[in-house]
Amino acid sequence: MKKQRWKKLKLQKIEPHQLTDRLLLINLYLTQALTLIIGIIWILFQKRNPLELLSLLQGWEFVMYGLGLAALMLVADFLLSAVMPENSMDDGGINHMLFRKRPIWHIVCIAAVVSICEELLFRGAIQHSFGPYWTSIIFALIHFRYLNHWLPTGWVFVSSYGLGYIYEQSGTLWAPILCHFVIDLISGLAIRFRREK
């Protein structure tokens, strides 16, 4: 009888319009928890201490790296959005669904959770093993909702490479975490306060 239950289970692709707000948030937080767990396990297998990766170095140089790259990427994103057709940067409406009606405090929370979890895995663990180039390829592939369009896929790759660069230059994971946080926060707030056409 148990075998029949397993045969009935099927993985199905869910289109964005099929997601409820609750399901979207559950999916977001579960994937980030999984990302964090995989990152911590990977770092431990590398015989490194995840807490040491998150310790602050002397000085605030990492803030310049993080905010500088964030500003550069936001300006480039704005210019791309102004020049390219709107559907070329389409993610299937996920970001709009995630941020459009979200309270500001929750947008801040989402940006913080995503930036810490993803940077710990990608810059803290994967980049240590494979370097920034292959890490950026993996990062772009993980953001599969952009894979239907070459421009956002390329943009995710370039962004990831930039995050890897400032991690190596600053020597602390807080530089890419700060950059990632600022980009997600400003992008989320822009969606939240954008006027509907």
Side-chain angles (χ1 to χ4, degrees):
M1 187 159 193
K2 286 185 180 179
K3 287 183 181 179
Q4 290 177 347
R5 282 188 203 166
W6 289 108
K7 287 181 183 180
K8 290 181 183 178
L9 287 177
K10 291 181 182 177
L11 292 177
Q12 295 178 340
K13 181 180 178 183
I14 295 177
E15 297 297 324
H17 66 273
Q18 296 173 298
L19 287 172
T20 64
D21 188 58
R22 183 172 183 266
L23 187 58
L24 182 63
L25 286 176
I26 289 170
N27 182 53
L28 171 76
Y29 286 119
L30 281 177
T31 55
Q32 293 308 309
L34 186 61
T35 299
L36 181 65
I37 291 166
I38 291 170
I40 290 170
I41 291 171
W42 195 322
I43 290 165
L44 291 173
F45 273 113
Q46 293 170 338
K47 295 185 168 63
R48 296 160 65 222
N49 184 345
L51 295 177
E52 284 181 13
L53 285 175
L54 294 172
S55 64
L56 284 173
L57 298 177
Q58 294 289 337
W60 292 91
E61 189 179 58
F62 78 93
V63 174
M64 290 187 303
Y65 279 106
L67 293 180
L69 181 61
L72 185 67
M73 290 169 63
L74 287 166
V75 168
D77 186 54
F78 175 77
L79 293 174
L80 279 173
S81 297
V83 173
M84 300 300 290
E86 191 174 328
N87 67 346
S88 67
M89 297 295 276
D90 184 34
D91 72 337
I94 298 293
N95 286 338
H96 186 272
M97 289 175 58
L98 185 60
F99 295 116
R100 183 68 190 138
K101 296 180 181 176
R102 197 76 50 213
I104 294 171
W105 70 265
H106 202 170
I107 294 172
V108 172
C109 181
I110 289 170
V113 167
V114 170
S115 61
I116 291 169
C117 294
E118 290 187 3
E119 293 310 313
L120 190 69
L121 173 61
F122 287 96
R123 257 45 70 186
I126 297 175
Q127 184 166 320
H128 184 77
S129 296
F130 300 113
Y133 177 77
W134 288 105
T135 300
S136 298
I137 289 176
I138 295 167
F139 191 76
L141 292 174
I142 292 293
H143 289 77
F144 59 88
R145 69 180 188 261
Y146 296 114
L147 293 178
N148 291 333
H149 302 285
W150 66 269
L151 186 60
T153 302
W155 183 240
V156 170
F157 172 84
V158 169
S159 301
S160 176
Y161 198 84
L163 291 167
Y165 176 80
I166 65 169
Y167 173 49
E168 290 184 349
Q169 294 302 307
S170 68
T172 178
L173 204 52
W174 287 108
I177 288 173
L178 177 63
C179 181
H180 198 149
F181 170 77
V182 169
I183 290 167
D184 285 359
L185 177 63
I186 291 175
S187 300
L189 291 173
I191 292 169
R192 170 70 172 80
F193 292 107
R194 183 183 300 148
R195 290 184 183 172
E196 293 289 328
K197 293 178 183 177

